[in-house]
Amino acid sequence: MEIINRYVYAVSKRLPEAQRNDVADELHGLIEDMLEERVQDTEVTEQDVESVLVELGHPRSLARKYRDRKKYVIGPELYDLYILVLKIALISTIAVNTAVFVIQVIFNPLSILDYFVNYIVSFFTVVIPMVFGWTTFGFAFVEYFSEGRMEKLELEKGWKPSSLPPVPEKKRQIKRSEPITGIVIYVLLIIMLSFSSEYFGIWIFQDDELAGVVPFLNEARYGSLIFLAFIIFGAGIVKECMKLFYEKWTYKLVTFTAIVNFVVMALVLFMITRMQIWNPTFMNELMQYDLITKGSEGYDVVRQIWEQLTFWTVIFLVFGLLWDLIAGFIKVRKAKVKWNI
Amino acid sequence: MSEAHKHLDKLMQELRRGTITIGALSQLHQPQYGYSLVTTLKEKGIYVEPGTLYPLLRRLEKQGLLESKWDTNETRPRKYYLLSELGKEVLDLLLVEWQNMVTSMEYLIKERREENGDH
């Protein structure tokens, strides 16, 4: 009877190719056996067939019983990491989008409504599908090709009570929001720098419109600047990831931070002293826009600030990075002292 | 359905899951096809849906506890299942465990009954 074929097909099409025929043959036999028992020696009616099929249940649930394979795209071993990456990716892209929106509005405040609509629409058409899609795709890919090795790995590693991590002490603990914010800021900086480095300067407004930008940076050096910035911010992201991984301040983490910070410092010092990163015609350009006139008091002040910029950048950077280190070191120390008592 | 019956249903489902495997294995010293096994088990008071038993037999075969063979001589082709050597070994061990469990449970329940009897 045709309806039996339809039922068997509905079950078997949900099974892996290799089992399909065998299960289908067996199911045909089963249905016939059940019908035979039901009607004994009388004729089989359509109603009998229907009751038998209803008794066997929905083809999907029967197929599910046959399949004992896992039924998820991303397994429990990867799930936590997946959610974490998704969070960071979402926050970063939302931050970037918002920044772009704000910049657009500053340049062209009259079209704010257009920009706003675009901003909102892009969430549903680009941001969310892209971030969700690619993150999920990446993890699903890993899950699919790991074929349960992940689980085995976790089991094989073995477990003993002494390998349990200590309960984190409040003072040493790094809040998750801290490195996540860090990563988001770095991503934001990278994107801003690579797409709009020419806007990094003094904005000249004339008649309520942006007339031009006097850039802080030397345009001739943008290429190598962006490359170095990638390395520096990339190192920053790695550093924040380590914080996420360790979850608390340890000497290891402080050492690692120290190495990253010193490399960053060396790179920045190199950039500033050897590469002429600042706009060499900054003062002249300012004069062109009539912002300052040569010989005035304002001119001297701006020139002084401009000339000392390098010095203060280095000072701030060195202190910032050192503080990062010292703060971490103090946190480890404090916790250790408390423990020793 | 009353609250108690709802819980009972769920617990019985969990309880059956393991016992059906023992029940099926215990009947397969002689080759049987799926539906004949459903019938024999039913006759002996163990009710199991074909939709549960068929996939179970297939899984046990995959694990190597059962062997199977298609019999095409009858009016309709049927897949017969039989305990493998490994299956026999496992079943013997399983039955010892089961017997221990039954004894222990009996003891637990009897103890409780006697307590109640004292009141």
Side-chain angles (χ1 to χ4, degrees):
Chain A
M1 239 181 262
E2 200 235 345
I3 192 112
I4 297 178
N5 289 336
R6 272 157 58 189
Y7 183 87
V8 172
Y9 174 73
V11 176
S12 61
K13 77 169 178 189
R14 291 183 165 90
L15 299 178
E17 188 79 47
Q19 303 181 14
R20 238 173 248 176
N21 286 338
D22 206 57
V23 170
D25 289 343
E26 208 181 1
L27 267 184
H28 269 292
L30 169 64
I31 292 167
E32 279 166 44
D33 280 333
M34 285 170 84
L35 279 173
E36 199 170 85
E37 195 198 65
R38 192 180 171 82
V39 300
Q40 302 298 341
D41 288 326
T42 57
E43 195 79 351
V44 173
T45 67
E46 244 167 74
Q47 211 143 29
D48 295 319
V49 177
E50 216 177 295
S51 335
V52 164
L53 296 186
V54 167
E55 198 189 326
L56 277 176
H58 195 297
R60 197 186 302 133
S61 58
L62 184 55
R64 204 179 301 137
K65 285 183 195 161
Y66 271 108
R67 260 184 336 210
D68 47 354
R69 264 189 43 223
K70 60 184 180 183
K71 288 156 210 124
Y72 44 71
V73 179
I74 293 163
E77 295 85 15
L78 282 177
Y79 185 75
D80 288 339
L81 186 64
Y82 167 67
I83 291 296
L84 181 66
V85 170
L86 196 59
K87 249 191 224 161
I88 295 175
L90 265 182
I91 296 174
S92 304
T93 31
I94 288 172
V96 168
N97 244 32
T98 311
V100 168
F101 168 67
V102 169
I103 290 171
Q104 280 175 327
V105 171
I106 289 172
F107 281 130
N108 199 349
L110 288 180
S111 328
I112 181 166
L113 195 68
D114 280 346
Y115 290 139
F116 186 71
V117 170
N118 267 341
Y119 173 65
I120 297 297
V121 168
S122 71
F123 274 110
F124 296 99
T125 55
V126 183
V127 176
I128 294 170
M130 285 285 252
V131 171
F132 263 98
W134 283 106
T135 315
T136 311
F137 177 79
F139 275 89
F141 188 80
V142 172
E143 179 70 57
Y144 183 80
F145 284 101
S146 65
E147 282 171 351
R149 247 172 282 159
M150 217 82 69
E151 207 172 338
K152 241 193 247 162
L153 204 74
E154 239 172 43
L155 292 178
E156 271 169 15
K157 257 193 287 177
W159 182 86
K160 44 184 195 297
S162 61
S163 63
L164 283 170
V167 178
E169 309 132 52
K170 273 249 164 65
K171 279 185 181 145
R172 268 172 110 188
Q173 210 177 356
I174 301 172
K175 277 198 212 114
R176 279 201 148 190
S177 56
E178 196 182 298
I180 290 180
T181 316
I183 295 174
V184 170
I185 290 174
Y186 284 126
V187 170
L188 208 61
L189 283 174
I190 289 180
I191 290 172
M192 300 266 261
L193 210 67
S194 44
F195 289 111
S196 53
S197 44
E198 60 268 31
Y199 295 118
F200 181 53
I202 292 185
W203 295 4
I204 315 284
F205 286 94
Q206 279 166 356
D207 303 328
D208 276 345
E209 254 181 58
L210 192 74
V213 179
V214 178
F216 290 136
L217 300 173
N218 185 354
E219 277 170 87
R221 299 284 187 196
Y222 275 169
S224 37
L225 260 179
I226 288 173
F227 178 69
L228 280 178
F230 271 160
I231 297 183
I232 291 171
F233 295 140
I237 291 178
V238 171
K239 195 172 79 185
E240 299 302 320
C241 288
M242 297 298 279
K243 285 187 193 167
L244 266 185
F245 177 74
Y246 280 113
E247 289 176 339
K248 60 172 191 274
W249 283 102
T250 61
Y251 280 121
K252 229 189 241 170
L253 184 56
V254 174
T255 315
F256 185 80
T257 315
I259 294 170
V260 171
N261 285 1
F262 278 118
V263 170
V264 167
M265 253 191 272
L267 270 175
V268 172
L269 282 179
F270 170 78
M271 266 166 59
I272 286 177
T273 55
R274 292 293 159 84
M275 277 181 53
Q276 276 205 320
I277 60 158
W278 304 117
N279 182 2
T281 59
F282 182 75
M283 292 307 287
N284 289 340
E285 281 179 52
L286 277 186
M287 278 196 284
Q288 267 171 21
Y289 283 108
D290 287 331
L291 273 186
I292 45 171
T293 43
K294 201 163 186 170
S296 71
E297 209 177 305
Y299 178 86
D300 286 335
V301 173
V302 174
R303 203 185 54 143
Q304 246 177 359
I305 294 175
W306 179 246
E307 278 167 3
Q308 303 230 321
L309 192 62
T310 307
F311 177 70
W312 288 109
T313 312
V314 173
I315 297 288
F316 272 117
L317 186 84
V318 169
F319 271 100
L321 294 180
L322 279 181
W323 174 247
D324 190 30
L325 265 186
I326 293 167
F329 192 72
I330 290 174
K331 279 176 184 161
V332 180
R333 283 292 303 180
K334 259 191 201 156
K336 285 268 150 88
V337 170
K338 205 186 87 190
W339 259 157
N340 288 342
I341 291 171
Chain B
M1 204 190 301
S2 74
E3 186 77 13
H5 276 94
K6 254 185 235 164
H7 284 289
L8 181 71
D9 255 24
K10 218 172 190 176
L11 291 170
M12 279 309 289
Q13 217 179 357
E14 280 169 33
L15 197 53
R16 265 194 212 115
R17 200 168 293 151
T19 53
I20 285 172
T21 311
I22 304 177
L25 288 175
S26 72
Q27 301 304 303
L28 289 173
H29 284 284
Q30 259 75 51
Q32 288 209 58
Y33 61 93
Y35 200 65
S36 68
L37 189 56
V38 173
T39 323
T40 15
L41 285 175
K42 196 158 69 178
E43 277 163 12
K44 292 173 183 168
I46 304 288
Y47 183 75
V48 47
E49 286 171 24
T52 305
L53 186 71
Y54 274 62
L56 173 68
L57 289 174
R58 198 164 272 275
R59 225 170 356 255
L60 292 172
E61 185 196 358
K62 203 174 148 199
Q63 289 165 3
L65 303 186
L66 296 180
E67 285 162 359
S68 77
K69 213 174 97 191
W70 278 96
D71 182 356
T72 44
N73 295 332
E74 287 177 69
T75 45
R76 68 178 71 105
R78 276 167 176 152
K79 194 173 183 181
Y80 278 79
Y81 292 91
L82 176 70
L83 275 176
S84 68
E85 282 310 310
L86 178 66
K88 279 179 200 158
E89 209 178 310
V90 171
L91 178 63
D92 285 343
L93 293 170
L94 201 56
L95 286 178
V96 174
E97 292 298 325
W98 173 253
Q99 211 47 63
N100 289 341
M101 210 183 274
V102 169
T103 317
S104 308
M105 287 305 291
E106 276 289 335
Y107 181 67
L108 281 180
I109 295 165
K110 205 175 90 192
E111 213 174 36
R112 171 102 188 106
R113 229 182 267 139
E114 276 165 11
E115 263 172 38
N116 281 351
D118 288 343
H119 281 288

